[in-house]
Amino acid sequence: MSQFSGPSDLGDEERDALEALLFRMADDEYVAAERYIEWQIYAPTLESDLALANVAQDEYGHARLWYDLLQDLGYEEEELIWERPPEEWTHATLVELETESGDWADTMLRTYLYDTAEQLRMEAIVDSSYAPVCDRVGKVLAEESYHREHAQNWLDRLADEGDEESFARVQAALDRLFPHALTLFAPGPHEEDILEFGFRTETLSDLRTEWLEIVVPYLESLGLDVPEPDEVEPVRTTGRNGDHTDDWFDLYEDFTATYRQLDFDKPTTLRGEGA
Amino acid sequence: MIWEVFRQEKPGKYHQHCGNVHAPDRDMALMFAQIQHGRRMQTNSLWVVPRDEIGEVDTEDAKFGGTTDKAYRWAMTYNNVDASFAAEVEESEDEQREAAKKREAAKKQEEAQS
C-alpha cells in the first residue's frame, strides 16, 4: 500500500518534494524529445528518421505522464511548459545540449546514456509512496527497452563495426557528453525530502553507481575510451537547480516561439486530447 | 539493402506482405519494421526477408496453361433431387446440418473469446 494515494494526502513539505521530483522527470523527457525531433526529415535514412521520431514521441508521452500529475496538483499546462521561465526548468544538461550538425553518433550515444539512466530511475520509483506515480511507471518501462535496443544497435555499428570516422565521432561525442551525463544524477531541490517521504526509494548516488556499472563496460566493449567518472571535471551547470547552458536558452526560445508569436492565452489541444 | 516485411495479425493467421524497409542487416531491419509496420497496428509477429532471397514467377509465366474451366468439380446435378424417399439420406442430411450448426457455434464462441 502506498502511503499517499493522491494530492489530498500531501502536506506542504511532501508536496514540494513531490513537485521537484515530477518536474525533474518530466523536464528530462520533454527536453530530450525536443532535441531528437530536430532530426525530423534530416536523419540519415527514412527508416532511422521514423525510428527516432517514434522514440521522441514516446518521450513526449512520458513527459505528459508526469506533467499530468503536476496538473493534478493544481498547475495549468501553460505554467508547466509554455510560460514557465527557462531558468525554472530542472532537466539535466545532457538532454539540452545542441546536437552538432549532422552528428548522428551524438544523438545515438545521448539516447543510450539517457535511456539507461531512465530505466534505473523508473525502477527506483516503482515502489514510490505516491500511488499515482507507481501507476504510471509500467508504461514508461515497457517503451524504454526499445529505446535502449535502438541506441545500442546503432552504437554497435558505428563504434564496434564501423569505420574510422564513425568510431571517432562516437568517441568525440562520448568525451563531450559524458560529463553532462553525470548531471543526470546531480541533486536538485528537496532531494533529501524526496527520499525521506519515499517518493523515490533509491539515492541518486546509488543510481549513479548502477548506471556506471552498466554503461562503462558496454562502451568499453565497443573499444571506446570512457572518461574516469571521478576524475571528470564536473560541468559548472547541472541543470538541476535551474542553471543551464546557453544551448538551453536558445532551444527554449525556439520551441516557445510559436506560442508567443500567436499570442496564445492557453495551449491549444488536439481533438480528443484529455477526453 | 531492402527487406520485405510480412505481418501476422493473429496467431495462426498467415504472415502477409505489408511493405519493406531499408536496413544494412537483419537486426536493424527488424528494429525498423517494428516501428514502421508493427507498432500501432494489430501485430502478433513480423518477418523480414531479404528481397534478393525472394523468388518470383512473373506475370508472363504465371499465365502458364491459362485458367481452366473447373466447373465439373461442382456436382450441382443432384441438388434438386427430392431425397425424402430414402430415410437414410434424410438422416444423413440432418446429421450434416447439425454438425454444421455446431461448427458455426464453436467458431462464434472462439471469436467472442479472442
Side-chain angles (χ1 to χ4, degrees):
Chain A
M1 271 295 278
S2 300
Q3 198 179 339
F4 308 100
S5 63
S8 57
D9 290 349
L10 301 166
D12 286 348
E13 285 178 13
E14 287 94 344
R15 194 187 167 95
D16 287 347
L18 178 67
E19 284 184 11
L21 178 74
L22 292 172
F23 270 118
R24 201 183 150 99
M25 298 196 297
D27 292 353
D28 275 348
E29 300 277 32
Y30 186 92
V31 179
E34 281 293 321
R35 282 299 180 203
Y36 301 162
I37 59 160
E38 291 179 333
W39 279 103
Q40 290 276 267
I41 80 162
Y42 297 109
T45 64
L46 176 62
E47 283 77 2
S48 53
D49 198 303
L50 291 170
L52 186 62
N54 169 76
V55 172
Q57 194 178 13
D58 287 346
E59 305 298 27
Y60 281 127
H62 302 165
R64 183 174 280 287
L65 293 177
W66 310 129
Y67 286 134
D68 274 352
L69 293 188
L70 284 159
Q71 285 181 305
D72 292 346
L73 294 170
Y75 286 91
E76 297 293 331
E77 188 169 322
E78 54 269 37
E79 299 173 284
L80 293 171
I81 301 177
W82 314 107
E83 294 173 16
R84 181 151 54 111
E87 56 280 359
E88 288 180 18
W89 289 61
T90 56
H91 54 272
T93 54
L94 174 73
V95 295
E96 77 193 21
L97 293 179
E98 191 177 347
T99 316
E100 231 172 83
S101 178
D103 197 356
W104 188 249
D106 175 301
T107 298
M108 291 304 104
L109 181 70
R110 192 183 298 206
T111 61
Y112 171 69
L113 298 174
Y114 176 69
D115 285 320
T116 307
E118 185 59 17
Q119 157 101 8
L120 296 170
R121 171 161 70 181
M122 290 302 109
E123 287 167 357
I125 57 168
V126 164
D127 295 319
S128 174
S129 58
Y130 191 63
V133 165
C134 312
D135 296 344
R136 288 165 177 243
V137 177
K139 177 172 171 54
V140 182
L141 279 172
E143 292 174 345
E144 289 296 338
S145 65
Y146 181 88
H147 298 184
R148 280 193 319 285
E149 189 193 338
H150 175 257
Q152 283 184 267
N153 266 335
W154 273 104
L155 290 176
D156 289 345
R157 285 158 183 78
L158 291 169
D160 195 26
E161 304 156 19
D163 60 14
E164 243 173 69
E165 189 197 348
S166 66
F167 182 87
R169 279 176 178 242
V170 179
Q171 181 67 57
L174 180 57
D175 295 339
R176 187 169 63 245
L177 295 178
F178 195 75
H180 290 280
L182 295 173
T183 68
L184 288 167
F185 310 99
H190 308 288
E191 176 55 30
E192 283 175 15
D193 283 350
I194 289 172
L195 293 167
E196 164 90 27
F197 300 131
F199 294 137
R200 190 192 330 101
T201 55
E202 264 192 272
T203 66
L204 290 169
S205 119
D206 285 348
L207 288 173
R208 182 181 187 269
T209 306
E210 286 172 47
W211 179 79
L212 287 169
E213 282 169 0
I214 298 170
V215 301
V216 174
Y218 170 67
L219 294 171
E220 284 180 346
S221 78
L222 302 178
L224 295 160
D225 187 12
V226 185
E228 189 58 48
D230 296 323
E231 290 168 18
V232 167
E233 191 178 338
V235 289
R236 284 185 296 110
T237 52
T238 67
R240 297 309 195 184
N241 287 309
D243 45 353
H244 291 279
T245 65
D246 292 343
D247 290 1
W248 161 241
F249 295 95
D250 296 342
L251 179 62
Y252 179 87
E253 282 300 300
D254 283 351
F255 78 72
T256 55
T258 311
Y259 182 81
R260 281 180 282 108
Q261 273 165 13
L262 297 180
D263 206 18
F264 285 151
D265 55 1
K266 61 175 173 25
T268 54
T269 47
L270 299 172
R271 188 164 51 116
E273 197 181 358
Chain B
M1 178 169 178
I2 297 177
W3 298 74
E4 297 299 333
V5 183
F6 298 80
R7 184 174 69 242
Q8 181 196 45
E9 292 194 350
K10 292 178 183 171
K13 299 265 181 188
Y14 287 120
H15 281 73
Q16 288 186 329
H17 185 238
C18 59
N20 56 41
V21 291
H22 289 71
D25 54 54
R26 181 176 281 116
D27 285 343
M28 294 295 273
L30 287 168
M31 194 179 81
F32 291 145
Q34 198 180 335
I35 294 305
Q36 258 165 273
H37 300 289
R39 202 173 185 199
R40 310 188 205 287
M41 277 166 272
Q42 188 175 2
T43 306
N44 182 63
S45 139
L46 286 175
W47 288 345
V48 295
V49 179
R51 175 177 279 182
D52 292 348
E53 294 298 322
I54 293 179
E56 183 188 8
V57 174
D58 65 16
T59 317
E60 195 55 39
D61 289 342
K63 283 183 186 158
F64 164 68
T67 49
T68 46
D69 181 0
K70 297 199 172 66
Y72 60 86
R73 292 186 177 179
W74 299 95
M76 308 294 278
T77 323
Y78 303 104
N79 279 11
N80 299 323
V81 174
D82 179 5
S84 55
F85 64 90
E88 63 272 29
V89 173
E90 205 175 344
E91 276 167 26
S92 165
E93 285 182 347
D94 282 348
E95 275 172 33
Q96 287 182 44
R97 270 193 291 275
E98 195 59 31
K101 263 189 210 164
K102 278 183 189 164
R103 278 198 303 275
E104 199 60 32
K107 198 177 159 195
K108 271 189 188 150
Q109 199 177 0
E110 194 180 297
E111 278 172 0
Q113 280 170 351
S114 66

